[in-house]
Amino acid sequence: MSEEASRSRDIKALARVLGADCVGICEARATPESRRFGDWLDRGYGGVMDYLERSRAKREDPALLFDGARSLIVIGLLYHERDGEEGAPPANVSRYARGDDYHDVLLDRLRALGAAIEAREKEPFSWKAWVDTGPVVERVAAAYAGLGWAGKNTCLIHPEYGSYLFLGVIATDLACAFDEPIGDQCGTCTACLDACPTGALVEPHWLDATRCIAYTTIEDPGPIPADLREGHGGHVYGCDICQEVCPWNHRRGRVVPDDPLGLRVHFEAREAWRAPTLHWLLELDEEAWRESTRGSAMRRSKYRGLMRNALVAAGNSGDASLRQPVERFLTTGDEMLSEHAHWALDRLAT
Ligand code: B12
């Protein structure tokens, strides 16, 4: 066995022992799909997510991540293993955000993996680890590393585990043997494109983030575009619809890997966020919000963003008993929230 092959074998074994549900390795190089990231930005699909533009060159070509970067080790951790709990009305928090912040959980695993590889190697080498926030198009890396394929909904779909997987990457200058991509398995299915309530999946494999509920409710601090509000339904933080309808997440005999380190407990829904009511949400003050989002990925929208989202969900609920909690936002002095409250009240009046 070559040195590269035995290194890759050992790294993958270490990753599994350290809690990765799946792991693969690909070359750190530009591919047609990583280059497509630039086309996506040029179409304006990135909206206000300026940090993506700033790291464009590295995302398009991972060889530029640092001097000598050669290999990308990609791990995946399952965060939702059960069928069901689909879009629990009336206020739905997407699955990825219901438990502890995945950035912390995965980064901790990647650092442990990096340290374990250091212990294995005789010579010093460079490595960097990222979860979500690094300048890497992680789904492309994961697809090339053989973890699954990028579906028409753009999500990385593992053939056995489905798409509710978090990804994390270590880039290193170590020479490794690479895995093979497994290729697209979506076939003729268009369930995700048909189901997206805001038409964000403009064509297979192309998501206009500015229309995606995950973007409007989390990433964009501004008002939710009026033409998209109805499509938001009860979604108050992110959205899973394009994954909920994906047959690969409902396959009979879908495998759930063992979890010997008990990592998945981190991703279990906190009581507050499993199925919050709109009454509770609209009455939540900033202090209580801070308390209930400690160590959670739900901090990203900020308190104001969550209230804005809850007002849209209230307007969509048809529940006139929400008029009173909505009215409190008319007098907070916040123009954006007041406009959303007016919108909700108009709809609750009819
Ligand atoms: C910006 C961002 C968003 C934006 C834009 C998403 C988008 N589709 O572009 C918004 C805010 C909308 C978003 C939403 C969500 N996100 Co997000 N997001 C990111 C981030 C930071 C960058 C993504 C990016 O570069 N987008 C630009 C487009 C062009 O790239 P892409 O979406 O990755 O799409 C690539 C693939 O589809 C691939 N591809 C397409 N066809 C083919 C064919 C082949 C052969 C290959 C190899 C590849 C390939 O090429 C595209 C790039 O060119 C990544 C973390 C990271 N650093 O990569 C997380 C990440 C993609 N997000 C993640 C998650 C969990 C979500 C949500 C599920 C959260 C939620 N429930 O609300 C939703 C899913 C919505 C969706 N359908 O994408 C996970 C996805 C895990 C997975 N299994 O796919 C990531 C990887 C974070 C992580 N570390 O786990 N996200």
Side-chain angles (χ1 to χ4, degrees):
M1 187 185 274
S2 70
E3 194 186 327
E4 285 83 0
S6 68
R7 175 175 291 126
S8 286
R9 182 203 54 200
D10 290 355
I11 291 175
K12 289 196 250 178
L14 288 167
R16 291 220 173 77
V17 169
L18 292 168
D21 291 322
C22 48
V23 52
I25 306 179
C26 68
E27 193 178 354
R29 67 171 172 90
T31 61
E33 294 78 19
S34 65
R35 294 262 180 233
R36 229 186 52 150
F37 173 79
D39 303 335
W40 180 82
L41 281 181
D42 291 339
R43 290 193 188 189
Y45 291 164
V48 297
M49 297 184 288
D50 299 339
Y51 69 96
L52 295 173
E53 179 68 56
R54 284 197 293 276
S55 51
R56 177 182 185 134
K58 288 180 177 167
R59 286 181 201 254
E60 286 189 15
D61 182 0
L64 305 175
L65 281 169
F66 57 83
D67 239 11
R70 284 162 101 166
S71 307
L72 301 177
I73 303 159
V74 189
I75 67 161
L77 249 76
L78 219 73
Y79 62 89
H80 173 73
E81 74 270 30
R82 287 179 298 272
D83 237 352
E85 291 179 12
E86 252 77 64
N92 180 251
V93 172
S94 60
R95 292 175 173 78
Y96 92 94
R98 291 178 194 165
D100 295 343
D101 191 335
Y102 70 97
H103 298 89
D104 301 337
V105 180
L106 268 80
L107 209 49
D108 184 56
R109 295 298 83 206
L110 288 176
R111 289 191 179 133
L113 177 58
I117 304 171
E118 276 175 348
R120 177 197 183 275
E121 297 295 324
K122 293 180 189 71
E123 303 293 327
F125 64 97
S126 301
W127 62 278
K128 282 186 179 184
W130 295 285
V131 177
D132 187 46
T133 55
V136 185
V137 189
E138 292 171 339
R139 287 162 167 170
V140 174
Y144 274 90
L147 263 56
W149 69 97
K152 288 179 185 168
N153 61 5
T154 76
C155 293
L156 193 280
I157 305 173
H158 184 284
E160 289 174 352
Y161 310 153
S163 67
Y164 295 115
L165 267 185
F166 292 127
L167 301 175
V169 177
I170 287 182
T172 174
D173 57 1
L174 286 170
C176 295
F178 303 126
D179 289 289
E180 291 290 326
I182 62 172
D184 191 343
Q185 311 279 320
C186 286
T188 54
C189 177
T190 57
C192 55
L193 289 119
D194 301 339
C196 177
T198 49
L201 288 162
V202 287
E203 54 181 292
H205 308 286
W206 284 93
L207 178 119
D208 177 353
T210 67
R211 300 187 68 85
C212 176
I213 295 171
Y215 170 90
T216 53
T217 58
I218 304 171
E219 299 295 323
D220 188 348
I224 295 183
D227 62 322
L228 301 183
R229 287 182 192 174
E230 198 174 325
H232 277 60
H235 288 89
V236 293
Y237 202 89
C239 172
D240 290 326
I241 291 178
C242 65
Q243 300 191 85
E244 284 170 356
V245 299
C246 176
W248 288 95
N249 286 329
H250 300 285
R251 243 163 33 100
R252 200 192 292 256
R254 185 172 160 248
V255 180
V256 176
D258 289 344
D259 177 28
L261 302 187
L263 294 176
R264 235 167 278 149
V265 73
H266 286 288
F267 306 135
E268 275 175 18
R270 295 178 180 187
E271 213 34 59
W273 301 116
R274 188 183 304 277
T277 68
L278 285 170
H279 276 280
W280 177 76
L281 263 181
L282 291 165
E283 276 156 16
L284 197 66
D285 64 26
E286 194 157 356
E287 192 43 46
W289 168 83
R290 200 168 295 117
E291 188 56 41
S292 59
T293 55
R294 184 159 296 146
S296 131
M298 285 197 66
R299 285 268 170 103
R300 191 159 172 84
S301 70
K302 306 220 166 57
Y303 173 71
R304 182 174 183 244
L306 185 64
M307 292 304 111
R308 171 202 61 188
N309 304 339
L311 288 167
V312 170
N316 288 329
S317 70
D319 178 355
S321 74
L322 289 168
R323 286 185 63 86
Q324 200 191 342
V326 166
E327 276 164 6
R328 101 172 156 94
F329 293 92
L330 298 175
T331 53
T332 57
D334 183 319
E335 239 175 75
M336 178 178 82
L337 293 184
S338 153
E339 186 275 318
H340 282 67
H342 276 296
W343 180 85
L345 290 169
D346 282 352
R347 293 178 55 97
L348 292 176
T350 54

